[in-house]
Amino acid sequence: MDSLALLATASLIAGSLYWFVCILGSAEQKGKRAVELSGGSIAKEKVEDKYKQYWSFFRRPKEIETTENVPAFVDTFYNLVTDIYEWGWGQSFHFSPSIPGKSDRECTRIHEERAVDLLGVKPGARILDAGCGVGGPMRAIAAHSGANIVGITINEYQVNRARLHNKKAGLDSLCEVVCGNFLQMPFDDNSFDGVYSIEATCHAPKLEEVYREIYRVLKPGSMYVSYEWVTTELFNSDDPEHVEIIHGIERGDALPGLRKYSDIFQVAKKVGFEVVDEKDLAKPPSNPWWTRLQMGKIAYWRNHIVVTVLSWLGIAPKGTVDVHKMLVETADYLAKGGDKGIFSPMHMILCRKPEEN
């Protein structure tokens, strides 16, 4: 009888683990399963050391304020988090306003389609995705608009993931992915009919540098739209709680430093853009974007148990538990920033490059 009880208990545990890891899979059509979690391009035995290296940047804050150090900083971050993002969130590494009656995935798609609609491009146009990640937005935008999307990301592992997803989606003829630094892009002047960046330029040490490079590759008369991460007018730098929330977001998302909402317009004008529109898409009548974070707390801790077990078994690299814990804590800071209204991940600016005289 004892043996039967033991066998039943073991079967229950094994079945539960199988369901969590293999059946539950990814947040988006099993793009990445828990048993496949890795450190991106980092060798399995070096993941823990790279995590410690990532945190060392924050012990030397001046080093992440210079252009030459930031690419390695951001590349390390995305090697560490890309698989966890895909598994726990989906293939689009950004937020979107919640819409009554719509799923999170539908809200994400609508938010992405809005970006390309603002560009006003036609099918066949050549569009740049500056900071494309694993290509969730580019696939939605290519399918919606019929445009040819060229994505650039600093992270080679993300390039390979994006190409795999593009092929699976049957969109590889419309979606091209390049590994490179959006501060020094390998594209000709005046070569794109439109450009968008979705929660990506926040990784640039100086916004002016990436905006100037986007201005260079954009054709005269064409449009650029960006969803920016910013502190809002409600942020009080003298409030310790506000400061801790913003620092928590910066530490957990590889940010050299969050910008004020008022900086975006000034930078765009400085590099030569005409600002057509600017608004915070997180403000009413939009519904809160951070509710998905709050509602997902049970899932986060469930996933953390899975990651811990997989790490203990030697399936997930050593250090994955630390990375996941960092992301869980960062999600809490993000939700607090949204709830208090001091942070927005979707301050939209729409710009035009003037026609040449």
Side-chain angles (χ1 to χ4, degrees), residues 57-71 73-74 183 202-207 209 247 250 254-259:
F57 280 104
F58 291 100
R59 289 194 291 271
R60 303 188 299 273
K62 291 297 180 185
E63 292 193 12
I64 59 175
E65 293 176 2
T66 56
T67 301
E68 60 268 24
N69 289 310
V70 168
F73 169 64
V74 175
L183 302 177
C202 51
H203 292 299
K206 296 179 181 178
L207 189 62
E209 294 178 346
H247 284 176
E250 291 168 347
L255 305 181
L258 274 168
R259 300 176 180 94

Side-chain angles (χ1 to χ4, degrees), residues 91-134:
Q91 295 170 20
S92 295
F93 299 172
H94 65 81
F95 299 104
S96 58
S98 63
I99 302 172
K102 300 289 186 182
S103 67
D104 292 331
R105 192 174 183 185
E106 289 174 314
C107 292
T108 296
R109 175 183 54 77
I110 291 168
H111 196 52
E112 292 164 349
E113 291 175 353
R114 179 176 189 169
V116 74
D117 288 343
L118 288 168
L119 297 180
V121 296
K122 297 179 180 179
R126 187 170 187 249
I127 306 300
L128 173 65
D129 181 334
C132 66
V134 298

Side-chain angles (χ1 to χ4, degrees), residues 184-240:
Q184 298 173 317
M185 292 189 282
F187 306 125
D188 293 335
D189 295 357
N190 308 323
S191 56
F192 287 95
D193 300 303
V195 181
Y196 66 86
S197 53
I198 299 179
E199 302 183 27
T201 57
C202 51
H203 292 299
K206 296 179 181 178
L207 189 62
E208 180 180 341
E209 294 178 346
V210 63
Y211 273 25
R212 195 175 298 281
E213 186 68 350
I214 287 169
Y215 185 92
R216 178 184 68 81
V217 303
L218 187 62
K219 292 179 181 179
S222 296
M223 308 287 280
Y224 166 55
V225 64
S226 184
Y227 296 163
E228 295 287 348
W229 281 32
V230 298
T231 57
T232 73
E233 71 280 2
L234 297 181
F235 172 68
N236 180 1
S237 60
D238 294 323
D239 186 325

Side-chain angles (χ1 to χ4, degrees), residues 233-274:
E233 71 280 2
L234 297 181
F235 172 68
N236 180 1
S237 60
D238 294 323
D239 186 325
E241 184 183 14
H242 285 196
V243 172
E244 174 58 24
I245 289 170
I246 296 305
H247 284 176
I249 292 171
E250 291 168 347
R251 290 191 302 266
D253 286 295
L255 305 181
L258 274 168
R259 300 176 180 94
K260 298 177 182 178
Y261 75 99
S262 55
D263 292 342
I264 311 303
F265 177 91
Q266 297 300 328
V267 171
K269 292 289 288 184
K270 185 176 182 180
V271 304
F273 279 120
E274 298 171 351

